[in-house]
């Protein structure tokens, strides 16, 4: 499995933007390129939920709550995926986790906190 580390979380006001990054290590380029990559989030007292996912040669998938506001992308050479979050709402407050699935080999990051508040 890949080792994943998130960054870019923080405190923003409603309507603001953040870009989360997830750097993958202990992998080669072909493995990173072939893996299903995604972002999950978990709010206090709530279940962990899938926010967005991306795989090679397919369109990204988004949760209904993220459509039109969030964009997932990847940089193969940097072995990094991103989650651009725009027009943030207080309901987006959660710990965001990076996730990878390489033909059943699953990895999780440790999470980064996103807080949306005035």
């Amino acid at each position: 499995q890949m080792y994943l580390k998130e960054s870019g979380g923080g405190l923003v006001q409603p309507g603001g933007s953040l870009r989360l990054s997830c750097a993958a290590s202990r992998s080669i380029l072909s493995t990173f390129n072939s893996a299903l990559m995604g972002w999950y989030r978990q709010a206090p007292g709530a279940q962990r939920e899938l926010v967005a996912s991306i795989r090679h040669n397919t369109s990204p998938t988004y949760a209904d709550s993220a459509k039109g506001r969030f964009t997932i992308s990847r940089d193969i050479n940097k072995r990094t995926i991103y989650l651009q979050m725009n027009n943030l709402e207080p309901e987006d407050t959660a710990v965001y986790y990076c996730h990878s699935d390489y033909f059943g080999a699953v990895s999780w990051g440790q999470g980064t906190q996103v807080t949306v508040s005035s």
Side-chain angles (χ1 to χ4, degrees):
Q1 303 97 316
M2 289 178 282
Y3 176 79
L4 307 174
K5 186 175 183 179
E6 306 94 336
S7 62
L11 173 65
V12 297
Q13 295 184 352
S17 298
L18 282 175
R19 189 177 75 160
L20 306 182
S21 299
C22 172
S25 61
R26 304 175 187 173
S27 66
I28 61 176
L29 291 177
S30 60
T31 299
F32 180 82
N33 190 42
S34 299
L36 172 66
M37 306 294 298
W39 289 95
Y40 286 73
R41 69 185 181 188
Q42 188 167 20
Q47 298 265 80
R48 188 173 298 187
E49 62 178 350
L50 178 65
V51 177
S53 64
I54 188 170
R55 67 173 73 197
H56 184 61
N57 285 337
T58 65
S59 298
T61 299
Y62 298 97
D64 288 341
S65 60
K67 290 179 180 177
R69 300 189 299 124
F70 293 4
T71 303
I72 188 171
S73 61
R74 63 182 177 181
D75 187 319
I76 300 299
N77 289 331
K78 294 182 178 179
R79 304 174 198 181
T80 301
I81 66 167
Y82 305 93
L83 185 67
Q84 179 67 46
M85 304 186 293
N86 299 324
N87 195 25
L88 284 162
E89 305 168 352
E91 292 74 21
D92 297 316
T93 296
V95 177
Y96 284 71
Y97 297 92
C98 186
H99 173 268
S100 70
D101 186 342
Y102 180 68
F103 297 96
V106 175
S107 297
W108 290 93
Q110 295 301 305
T112 184
Q113 177 71 49
V114 172
T115 302
V116 185
S117 176
S118 298

